[in-house]
Amino acid sequence: MDDWVEVASFDSMSDAVHREKARIEDLALDVGLMPEKGVQVEDKGRIIISVHPEFYNYYAHGR
């Protein structure tokens, strides 16, 4: 299960991207995950913030 889950997208790199990434990283810390392994930002013509599927499942299934 290596398909990362897109949780946010932006037209370009901006302060909003950094704020949203920081917010998601704080959530990862709250559940005991290392943000650098659970959150990624990619430029695919749009700036995409994705989370690791295990991190996503924690919230999607209330675990």
Side-chain angles (χ1 to χ4, degrees):
M1 189 167 170
D2 288 332
D3 296 326
W4 287 63
V5 180
E6 180 181 326
V7 294
S9 68
F10 300 84
D11 291 329
S12 61
M13 187 59 76
S14 65
D15 287 340
V17 174
H18 297 290
R19 284 191 304 269
E20 183 64 5
K21 181 177 182 273
R23 186 187 74 79
I24 295 169
E25 289 173 337
D26 285 344
L27 291 172
L29 287 172
D30 287 347
V31 297
L33 298 174
M34 296 184 338
E36 62 275 8
K37 295 194 183 263
V39 181
Q40 66 182 13
V41 176
E42 297 177 283
D43 186 344
K44 296 181 175 181
R46 291 180 53 80
I47 306 302
I48 306 295
I49 300 176
S50 301
V51 296
H52 191 277
E54 288 182 28
F55 178 29
Y56 181 79
N57 284 334
Y58 182 87
Y59 286 99
H61 301 293
R63 298 179 193 173

